[in-house]
Amino acid sequence: MGIQAVRILDGKACAEQIRREIGEQVRRLRADGMRVPHLAAVLVGDDGASETYVANKVRDCGEVGFESTVVRLDGGVGEAEVLAKVAELNADEAIDGFIVQVPLPGHIDEQKINLAIDSAKDVDGFGPENLGRMCLGLPAFVTATPNGVMELLARNGIATEGKHCVVAGRSNIVGTPLSILLSRNASPGNCTVSIAHSRTKDLGELCASADILIAAIGRPGFITADMVKPGAVVIDVGTTRVADSSRASGFRLAGDVDFDSVAPKCSWITPVPGGVGPMTRAALLQNTLKARQRRQDISNV
Ligand code: NAP
């Protein structure tokens, strides 16, 4: 079999399209005199990456016409205070959905915070009700990164049915939900999925058997050309900050895939940056719009 020319899965362009679609719906809400979606983000401490992620979310909200609120809490704040803020946001009628930016400082139990978020406002989809509903194929807020990856596959018309998909990484927010979505009887979906992790034996061999390879590990350049089947679709979720003195920021984002060696072997591949990252951001907007629609049954506006 000859290898097709590689095509770039352009998450940036795809996310722009999704934002345009959402912006249009928001304009219609406004025109009908209705309240626009409102997303809140709780930021605990001053972690540089978290600051950037939240700033991006605020900017995205502005671009599509959502309202947004950032709730800043000091890094030394106790768990009880974060839980109190979550309870306040759960009860706030003006907020459609909110996220608590992770990672939280080590003395705060992230699981406890997730469990406290009202599932109707859990637009990150990290809580058990939304994850459970997703597993059952019921309407749910699907975690942003898996949702973004599924949109990227769908909007680029990538065939998934009957394909062998290897998901490397089994985190609760990326690898595990993605493996479930890809295996479901849906489109995209109907893959035969292998989920790999740090205890997987012969990972290279397993990856090389994948028609669709999804890397969500967090190790720059981990997936090399010998681990990729000719013609495979490769989705790189990894985004690790690596020091780069040539950049004003002092770092660059590196994916889990060694792009230069892997790309010539693939049919499709996501770049980093510009692949899964923008899709994750767009998926949060989609969930926030959905939360707004559900709160007032305005899904057909
Ligand atoms: P995580 O919670 O650290 O999970 C990493 C997973 O990789 C774990 O399941 C781990 O296995 C597995 N792993 C680690 N080393 C491995 C190895 N040598 N061989 C096989 N598996 C290995 O990470 P995450 O939150 O899922 O994030 C993964 C990456 O995606 C990170 O770079 C993160 O920054 C990025 N990310 C990007 C976006 C985006 O929008 N682009 C969103 C979320 C995350 P064990 O379970 O056995 O430890």
Side-chain angles (χ1 to χ4, degrees), residues 14 64 88 112 171 173 182 187 190 253 280 284 291 297 300:
C14 203
V64 297
E88 202 182 294
K112 224 183 211 175
S171 72
I173 62 169
L182 285 159
S187 181
N190 281 320
L253 289 183
T280 296
L284 179 66
D297 193 28
N300 55 356

Side-chain angles (χ1 to χ4, degrees), residues 145 169-171 174 197-198 203 216-219 222 237-240 277 280:
T145 302
R170 60 175 165 188
S171 72
V174 185
H197 43 76
S198 64
L203 180 65
I217 294 176
R219 292 179 171 231
F222 184 86
V237 179
T239 44
T240 306
T280 296

Side-chain angles (χ1 to χ4, degrees), residues 2-50:
I3 303 171
Q4 306 133 278
V6 64
R7 281 173 286 180
I8 300 296
L9 275 167
D10 187 344
K12 195 165 171 242
C14 203
E16 263 169 34
Q17 174 62 27
I18 292 171
R19 286 198 300 276
R20 273 196 297 276
E21 291 165 11
I22 293 174
E24 184 50 41
Q25 298 215 44
V26 174
R27 270 189 293 282
R28 283 156 67 184
L29 280 176
R30 272 194 206 284
D32 291 344
M34 298 177 98
R35 195 173 57 73
V36 301
H38 189 165
L39 174 73
V42 179
L43 183 57
V44 184
D46 54 7
D47 174 72
S50 294

Side-chain angles (χ1 to χ4, degrees), residues 201-252:
K201 290 204 172 80
D202 304 322
L203 180 65
E205 218 172 281
L206 180 69
C207 290
S209 72
D211 302 307
I212 301 172
L213 175 60
I214 301 187
I217 294 176
R219 292 179 171 231
F222 184 86
I223 303 289
T224 46
D226 56 310
M227 298 166 79
V228 176
K229 182 176 174 175
V233 174
V234 175
I235 310 272
D236 190 353
V237 179
T239 44
T240 306
R241 285 182 171 201
V242 295
D244 186 343
S245 56
S246 70
R247 309 275 174 111
S249 61
F251 68 86
R252 66 186 160 82

